C-alpha cells in the first residue's frame, strides 16, 4: 500500500491511521529500552517512538544521523503528554533517502559568518529563518497587490548598462564582448524611460548592484530593490502618498498572515501603520537634532545613522508613529535629476523614508524638462554625452513624474527586528562575500 506524504502540521487529522512523513532527523535519543527520533519538515516537528526489539527497525533507527533526509511510515498515535502537538508516530518502515555526514559543520553556537558559509543548513535548521522567507513572500505579494490595484505595470529593466548610471561611482564593471558594461545600480533611468514611453505607473522588484566598500549592518553589494515611478503627478506628495498606502497595505497583509508566528519566533509585534505618515523637512529635522547636541560643528548636510535614529525617536515620541518622511534634501546631496523647489533652488523635491530609525526608501519628483536637466547635470560636472539615450527621453514630451526606490531587505530587517541585513537575504553579497 502506498502512503502519500502528510505534512507534520496535518498529522492531527490522521490519528489512528498509517501515514508517511518526509523530513529531516532533528534529534535522536537512543535509550536502553526505547528509541526516540524527532523528525522535522517545513511545517513542524513530530516524535517517532520505537520500543527496542532487536529487529530491523531498531538497527535502522540506531544508524540515523542528525539532518539525514528520511521517509518514516507509521501509525499516528494521540499521546496527550507529548509536547510536540500531543502526537507520536509508531514506525512501521524507515527509509533513509540521503544520510547526513557527521559531525555537522554548524550548531547552535556557531557565529553568523560561519553559518553564512553553510546557509542551506542554517536556514533548514532555523524555523525563524524559514518564516522570514514566508514573510518576504507575503510582503512582496502585498506590495504588488497595491501597485496592481493602482493600475501600475510591472516592468523588467536591463541589469547590464553601457554607461554607468547615476554618478558613475560605485558601479561594477564587467567584460562585454571586448568592451565594458556595468551592472545597474538602480532601474532609475529605465523606469523614467517607461514613463516617457506612455506607461502611466511603473514598478519593478528586482536586483540592484552597488559597488560600495561598506561593511555596515545595512549595506549589501547586491540586493532586491522595490522601484516605483508615477506619471502626471502634481508633486512629490503624490509619490509619498502612494508609498505610505502601499506599505500600509503590505504590512497589514503580513500582520494578518504571520503576526503570531513573528511574535513567537522574533519577539516583535508587527504594527500596521496609520496613514498619512509624519513628514518633516530636512532643515527642521536638523534644527531639532542640533538642539539635542547632534552635529555640534553644524557642518553636516545629510543625516548620519545616529541622526536618523534620533529624529525617528523624536517623531515617535511626538506622534506615536514608527515612520517618518524626511523631505527637501539639499541639492548638494541629491542626484542631478531630482527636481528643485520652485521657491528655493537650494533644496530638492525629494524624501527619504525612515522606519524605526533606518532609511528604507529614497524618492523624489524628477526633473522632466530637458533644458533644466542639462543645466543641473552640468552644475554637478556630469557630461551629457554618455547619457544621451537617457536624456533623449525628455526631448519629446515627457510628463511630470516621480518615484521611489525601496530596499526589500531593509524593510524585512526592521519588520523582524534583525541585527543585520545579512540575515534578511538568502545568500548575502558584500565586499568580502561572493560565496556560497
Amino acid at each position: 500500500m502506498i502512503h502519500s506524504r502528510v505534512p507534520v502540521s496535518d498529522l492531527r487529522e490522521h490519528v489512528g491511521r498509517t501515514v508517511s512523513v518526509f523530513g529531516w532527523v532533528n534529534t535522536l535519543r537512543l535509550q536502553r529500552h526505547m528509541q526516540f527520533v524527532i523528525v522535522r519538515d517545513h511545517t513542524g516537528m513530530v516524535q517517532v517512538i520505537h520500543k527496542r526489539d532487536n529487529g530491523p527497525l531498531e538497527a535502522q533507527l540506531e544508524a540515523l544521523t542528525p539532518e539525514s533526509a528520511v521517509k518514516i511510515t507509521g501509525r499516528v498515535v494521540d499521546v496527550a503528554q507529548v509536547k510536540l502537538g500531543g502526537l507520536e508516530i509508531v514506525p512501521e518502515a524507515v527509509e533513509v533517502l540521503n544520510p547526513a555526514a557527521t559531525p555537522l559543520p554548524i550548531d547552535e553556537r556557531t557565529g553568523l559568518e560561519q553559518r553564512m558559509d553553510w546557509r542551506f543548513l542554517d536556514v533548514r535548521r532555523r524555523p525563524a529563518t524559514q518564516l522570514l522567507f514566508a514573510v518576504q513572500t507575503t510582503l512582496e505579494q502585498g506590495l504588488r497587490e497595491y501597485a496592481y490595484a493602482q493600475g501600475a505595470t510591472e516592468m523588467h529593466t536591463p541589469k547590464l548598462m553601457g554607461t554607468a548610471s547615476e554618478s558613475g561611482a560605485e558601479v561594477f564593471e564587467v567584460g562585454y564582448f571586448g568592451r565594458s558594461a556595468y551592472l545597474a545600480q538602480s532601474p532609475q533611468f529605465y523606469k523614467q524611460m517607461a514613463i516617457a514611453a506612455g506607461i502611466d505607473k511603473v514598478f519593478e522588484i528586482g536586483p540592484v548592484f552597488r559597488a560600495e566598500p561598506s561593511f555596515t549592518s545595512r549595506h549589501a553589494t547586491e540586493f532586491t530593490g522595490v522601484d516605483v515611478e508615477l506619471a502626471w503627478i502634481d508633486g512629490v506628495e503624490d509619490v509619498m502618498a502612494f508609498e505610505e498606502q502601499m506599505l500600509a497595505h503590505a504590512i497589514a497583509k503580513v500582520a494578518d498572515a504571520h503576526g503570531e508566528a513573528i511574535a513567537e519566533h522574533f519577539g516583535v509585534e508587527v504594527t500596521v501603520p496609520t496613514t498619512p505618515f509624519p513628514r518633516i523637512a530636512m532643515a527642521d529635522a536638523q534644527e531639532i537634532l542640533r538642539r539635542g547636541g547632534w552635529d555640534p560643528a553644524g557642518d553636516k548636510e545629510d543625516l548620519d545613522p545616529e541622526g536618523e535614529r534620533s529624529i525617528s525617536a523624536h517623531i515617535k515620541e511626538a506622534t506615536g508613529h514608527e515612520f517618518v518622511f524626511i523631505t527637501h534634501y539639499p541639492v548638494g546631496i541629491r542626484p542631478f535629476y531630482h527636481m528643485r523647489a520652485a521657491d528655493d533652488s537650494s533644496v530638492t523635491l525629494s524624501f527619504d523614508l525612515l522606519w524605526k530609525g533606518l532609511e528604507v526608501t529614497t524618492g523624489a519628483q524628477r526633473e522632466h524638462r530637458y533644458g533644466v536637466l542639462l543645466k543641473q547635470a552640468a552644475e554637478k560636472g556630469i557630461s551629457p554625452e554618455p547619457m544621451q539615450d537617457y536624456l533623449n527621453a525628455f526631448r519629446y514630451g515627457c510628463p511630470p513624474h516621480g518615484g521611489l526606490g525601496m530596499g526589500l531587505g531593509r524593510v524585512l530587517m526592521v519588520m523582524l527586528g534583525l541585527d543585520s541585513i545579512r540575515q534578511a537575504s538568502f545568500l548575502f553579497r558584500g565586499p568580502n562575500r561572493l560565496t556560497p
Side-chain angles (χ1 to χ4, degrees):
M1 183 179 171
I2 295 171
H3 299 283
S4 59
R5 179 186 180 193
V6 174
V8 167
S9 58
D10 293 352
L11 287 174
R12 171 61 56 195
E13 297 157 31
H14 296 268
V15 170
R17 277 181 268 178
T18 298
V19 300
S20 290
V21 169
F22 291 74
W24 290 275
V25 175
N26 192 70
T27 44
L28 294 152
R29 278 193 302 133
L30 306 172
Q31 298 175 352
R32 192 192 299 175
H33 300 296
M34 303 292 283
Q35 293 168 301
F36 297 95
V37 181
I38 307 290
V39 174
R40 181 187 74 244
D41 72 5
H42 70 288
T43 70
M45 294 197 269
V46 66
Q47 179 167 285
V48 178
I49 180 168
H50 180 252
K51 194 168 195 271
R52 289 189 186 270
D53 56 5
N54 291 325
L57 272 181
E58 180 180 325
Q60 286 174 306
L61 291 168
E62 200 68 21
L64 290 177
T65 56
E67 294 305 323
S68 290
V70 293
K71 173 188 179 183
I72 307 277
T73 302
R75 199 172 80 259
V76 183
V77 184
D78 199 332
V79 187
Q81 66 267 32
V82 172
K83 282 202 179 97
L84 295 172
L87 296 171
E88 284 178 342
I89 292 178
V90 177
E92 294 164 16
V94 174
E95 190 183 339
V96 179
L97 304 173
N98 193 327
T102 56
L104 294 169
I106 57 172
D107 63 23
E108 281 64 42
R109 297 178 299 281
T110 307
L112 183 59
E113 270 307 301
Q114 194 180 337
R115 289 190 354 239
M116 288 281 164
D117 294 336
W118 297 96
R119 185 63 164 156
F120 71 93
L121 263 183
D122 184 45
V123 171
R124 189 207 296 172
R125 287 162 52 88
R126 288 172 179 269
T129 312
Q130 298 199 5
L131 172 62
L132 180 140
F133 298 116
V135 169
Q136 176 181 299
T137 301
T138 304
L139 177 67
E140 283 191 49
Q141 188 187 357
L143 296 170
R144 281 192 170 93
E145 265 177 9
Y146 181 80
Y148 294 151
Q150 299 304 306
T153 302
E154 188 166 4
M155 303 292 281
H156 301 287
T157 61
K159 302 303 162 228
L160 287 166
M161 305 179 76
T163 54
S165 60
E166 317 248 337
S167 63
E170 296 167 354
V171 286
F172 290 110
E173 190 175 341
V174 294
Y176 196 77
F177 304 108
R179 56 198 169 108
S180 284
Y182 304 91
L183 294 180
Q185 285 174 291
S186 148
Q188 183 61 47
F189 290 0
Y190 294 127
K191 62 182 181 172
Q192 287 185 266
M193 283 183 196
I195 293 295
I199 303 172
D200 209 62
K201 296 183 179 78
V202 174
F203 82 99
E204 175 168 14
I205 300 178
V208 177
F209 302 90
R210 296 277 163 92
E212 294 181 79
S214 293
F215 298 89
T216 75
S217 61
R218 61 188 195 282
H219 283 91
T221 51
E222 178 183 356
F223 60 91
T224 301
V226 180
D227 273 86
V228 174
E229 206 70 25
L230 311 171
W232 309 106
I233 62 170
D234 287 328
V236 69
E237 180 57 43
D238 289 355
V239 183
M240 292 190 280
F242 187 98
E243 176 167 36
E244 63 196 4
Q245 296 289 343
M246 181 166 77
L247 273 170
H249 176 83
I251 293 167
K253 202 170 178 70
V254 169
D256 190 43
H258 308 289
E260 283 177 33
I262 290 169
E264 181 193 337
H265 287 286
F266 292 97
V268 292
E269 188 187 345
V270 179
T271 310
V272 182
T274 55
T275 57
F277 297 175
R279 290 133 166 77
I280 184 170
M282 172 63 108
D284 297 335
Q286 289 186 329
E287 192 182 317
I288 289 164
L289 289 170
R290 287 192 176 115
R291 283 206 299 268
W294 176 81
D295 183 30
D299 53 12
K300 286 183 180 166
E301 271 198 292
D302 206 348
L303 298 182
D304 56 10
E306 183 205 343
E308 290 176 345
R309 286 191 295 270
S310 298
I311 197 66
S312 285
H314 172 87
I315 295 293
K316 177 90 164 70
E317 206 174 308
T319 68
H321 219 290
E322 294 178 349
F323 286 90
V324 59
F325 283 114
I326 310 289
T327 66
H328 298 87
Y329 276 70
V331 165
I333 54 174
R334 285 309 212 212
F336 76 93
Y337 53 78
H338 282 194
M339 186 178 272
R340 298 177 186 181
D343 57 351
D344 180 0
S345 62
S346 72
V347 297
T348 56
L349 300 174
S350 68
F351 63 87
D352 275 6
L353 177 62
L354 309 182
W355 187 9
K356 292 187 184 176
L358 185 71
E359 175 208 316
V360 292
T361 303
T362 295
Q365 179 165 0
R366 319 302 183 188
E367 182 49 72
H368 61 284
R369 296 162 295 185
Y370 181 69
V372 180
L373 259 180
L374 283 179
K375 180 170 151 288
Q376 291 184 181
E379 279 175 22
K380 286 194 177 271
I382 295 168
S383 163
E385 281 76 34
M387 292 190 303
Q388 203 51 56
D389 284 330
Y390 166 69
L391 292 168
N392 282 342
F394 304 95
R395 292 173 64 190
Y396 302 98
C398 184
H401 62 283
L404 61 99
M406 179 182 355
L408 186 69
R410 288 194 182 188
V411 171
L412 285 167
M413 199 177 142
V414 181
M415 181 184 276
L416 301 177
L418 304 175
D419 297 329
S420 168
I421 201 154
R422 288 157 191 263
Q423 297 159 281
S425 50
F426 179 47
L427 296 170
F428 174 75
R429 291 288 175 260
N432 290 342
R433 186 166 285 280
L434 262 177
T435 57

